[in-house]
Every structure is written in structure tokens, then in C-alpha cells.
Amino acid sequence: MTRRAALALALGCLLLGPAPADEIHASQRLSGYDMMGAEAQAMQRDDFANPAMLAVKEGEGLWNAVPGQGRPSCQSCHGNAAASMKGVAARYPAREASTGRVLDLPGQIQTCQSERQGIAPAARESAALLALEAFLAMQSRGAPLASPRARGLDDAVSRGEALYRQRFGQLDLSCAQCHSQNWGRSLGGTRIPQAHPTGYPLFRMEWQAIGSLQRRFRNCMTGIRAEPFPPGAAEWIDLEIYLKERAAGMAMDAPAVRP
Amino acid sequence: MATAMILLPRTVIRAGDVVMLKAMISHPMETGFRRTETGGEIPRNIIRQFSCRYMGELVFSCDFHPAIAANPFLSFPVIAARTGPLEFVWRGDNGFLHREQAMLQVAAS
């Protein structure tokens, strides 16, 4: 896009008032699943062909495992995950009742590991943390993403939206320019999705591995030659909260498959 | 630690039926051709061989090579004879060995 076109677009947005002109209407929202090819969709629908299910199985083992002598397992406090964790992943990131901190799902798992199990928390993007995340996300499959605004996270939604609209990197692009203004068009052979975080953690064929939402964010940041925030940074969590507000009500399809 | 999944048909199986077995295992299948950002070699780490035994008899085996995707997924047919154990074994670089067992239930006809 030329600078002039970008300026015209920016002015256009201003003239239209507070609601951004590029906001995707609820009836037009499409998940990454809706926008990918039939073969990738078939792979996601078949739990046996979806490699992310290996992580779910591993996560189930970790849920029940005693992490060390005299240390409680996740299961010993939370019981059967199918009941106690049903729908939980769909309302993360969330504010922790006791401390008021806002945690994303991996952050919550790490907190339970360090503060309640008394062990060293698994590192972000480690196989163990992804496995627990995948196992918990599985308990929310089909559940609608809850609105962070409705849970009092307005400030984080606003901060996240500002980041989403901020231009970054040598290519000087914002998330919104691709995911709100140019979704559906192709970028070097890939279709630009609307960036709804319904399926994380997920198996991405390009990675040949399961990865987190923050890994996906990092890929988009390096794609525009910007320096990504460090793992677990507050900016990533704000971005996740904004994207979840934007996707509120959409069904979770985690652990998903993406190209 | 590897995780594997075995899928047997969910339908009733009778003697003489050709049944498809599916097996998937988590593994990076590192080719040995890649390098780190600083140019160091990433050593090869792949599964070399898979085999399946049905009542002790070898019914399927194959060799793997570097150009195989991570988490290899196999699907192969066997002819059901009678109810008996299936054993699946994956072997690879660095002494990798993973074993899974399952029971093939064959209905009396």
C-alpha cells in the first residue's frame, strides 16, 4: 500500500467515528479452520490424524503425575479435569481472584506449578507446558470464547487494541492492516486469516510441531521484521485479550491444525 | 519421552476380515541436514524402523529415512484370524525404542 493510500485509509477511519471501519461484523467472522483448505480441515476433524492429540495424551499423563515425593498432582487438587476444567480455557486470560494478577492459561499453569506444587515451572513453549495447555484446551472444545470485557478486563482490551493497530517493524505494518483490512487475500501463497485465537495450542504444519498463541504472534512479528516481545510479556497477554474480545462467542476448536 | 496412539477399527471384526490399523508417535524426526542460527550442525534424530507383530508374527514393518514428517502416522492392513495381541515397536537414533500393545478382538462367526 502506498503512503497516500494508507493516509486516505486512516482519514477514512477517522471520519467514520469511534467504531473502526475495519471491524469485522459478527456474522462475517471466520475462524482459521473456516479459511483453510479441505485437507487441513479433514486432518483437524480426525482426532487420530491430528498430531496435537499426542500432546493432549501427554498432558493427561502430566495432570495425573505426582511431580516429586510428597508433592501434589494437578489431579489431587482439581479432580477429574473433564468436570473441573470444562470451559475454563475458553475464559482465559483471566484475573486471579486471590492476587488480582491477569494470567493467560500457560501463566496459570506455571503459577500452580510454582506456588501450589512447589516445583520449578515448565518453561513457555516447552513440551510439558504445551501438553498441559493442550489437555486443558481439549476440555473446552466447542465452548464459546468468553468476553474479557464482560469479566472486567476493559483496560487490557483497550491496551491490546492499541497494540493491534500500532505499526511495527521495518515493514511498518499493523496487525489490523493484515487481519482486519486484508483478510481473505493472499500473501505469498497463504490466505490471510482474521486472526481469531480459537484453536491454541495447535499443530502447525509449517512448524511440524505444536505451538502456542504467543509463538504464532512471534511469527507474525518477525514476518514484518519487528522485534517480538519476550515470551510471557504483558503485551502478548493484552493482545490475546483483545483478540478474544473480538472473537467472543466463537467456538473453540483447540487443539487445532493450521497450515 | 515419546507418546504414541494406536487406533483399531471400532466395528465388529470377524475372522478373514481385512482391517486397517493406525499408529502415530510423537517424534521430531530431525533430518540431520539442518543447521542452527550460528551454523552448528543439528544432529540427526529420526526413527529408523517400525514393526507390528500380531500373535508374535511379523505382519508389517518399514524403514524410515530423513525426509519423513515429524510425528509419523502409519496406516496399514492386516488380516484378522482370531483374538490376539498386537505389538507395535519403533526404533531409532540414539537408542530410541518405544513399544505399544493392543488386543485385536475377533468375534466368533
Side-chain angles (χ1 to χ4, degrees), chain A residues 48 50-51 54 57-58 203 208, chain B residues 3-5 22 24 69-71:
Chain A
F48 201 78
N50 177 354
L54 291 164
K57 189 176 167 188
E58 192 184 330
F203 183 85
Q208 283 291 304
Chain B
T3 308
M5 297 196 296
K22 295 179 181 179
M24 178 158 63
N71 308 315

Side-chain angles (χ1 to χ4, degrees), chain B:
Chain B
M1 183 189 66
T3 308
M5 297 196 296
I6 303 295
L7 187 73
L8 308 182
R10 296 190 182 98
T11 51
V12 176
I13 301 165
R14 292 185 191 286
D17 285 356
V18 176
V19 298
M20 290 301 284
L21 306 182
K22 295 179 181 179
M24 178 158 63
I25 187 162
S26 66
H27 198 282
M29 296 300 279
E30 187 59 57
T31 61
F33 298 132
R34 298 199 310 154
R35 289 182 177 267
T36 63
E37 277 170 17
T38 52
E41 245 175 59
I42 305 179
R44 193 185 76 179
N45 175 21
I46 63 169
I47 297 174
R48 299 297 307 280
Q49 210 256 344
F50 168 82
S51 63
C52 172
R53 286 175 186 275
Y54 174 33
M55 297 186 293
E57 192 187 332
L58 186 66
V59 287
F60 179 86
S61 78
C62 66
D63 293 336
F64 287 114
H65 298 279
I68 301 230
N71 308 315
F73 172 34
L74 293 166
S75 176
F76 52 92
V78 300
I79 298 175
R82 55 180 191 277
T83 296
L86 288 161
E87 190 195 36
F88 305 81
V89 180
W90 293 259
R91 289 173 202 277
D93 292 340
N94 312 319
F96 180 84
L97 175 68
H98 188 88
R99 234 180 260 279
E100 289 283 332
Q101 281 172 337
M103 209 51 176
L104 189 68
Q105 297 290 343
V106 179
S109 40

Side-chain angles (χ1 to χ4, degrees), chain A residues 43-60:
Chain A
M43 187 167 166
Q44 176 170 328
R45 275 198 311 271
D46 178 355
D47 274 348
F48 201 78
N50 177 354
M53 294 306 288
L54 291 164
V56 171
K57 189 176 167 188
E58 192 184 330
E60 184 176 10

Side-chain angles (χ1 to χ4, degrees), chain A residues 116-145:
Chain A
R116 307 206 168 90
Q117 291 186 305
I119 59 170
R124 292 228 169 215
E125 229 52 48
S126 66
L129 193 58
L130 287 167
L132 279 166
E133 265 180 85
F135 175 64
L136 292 181
M138 183 70 188
Q139 316 307 322
S140 286
R141 213 189 231 184
L145 285 176

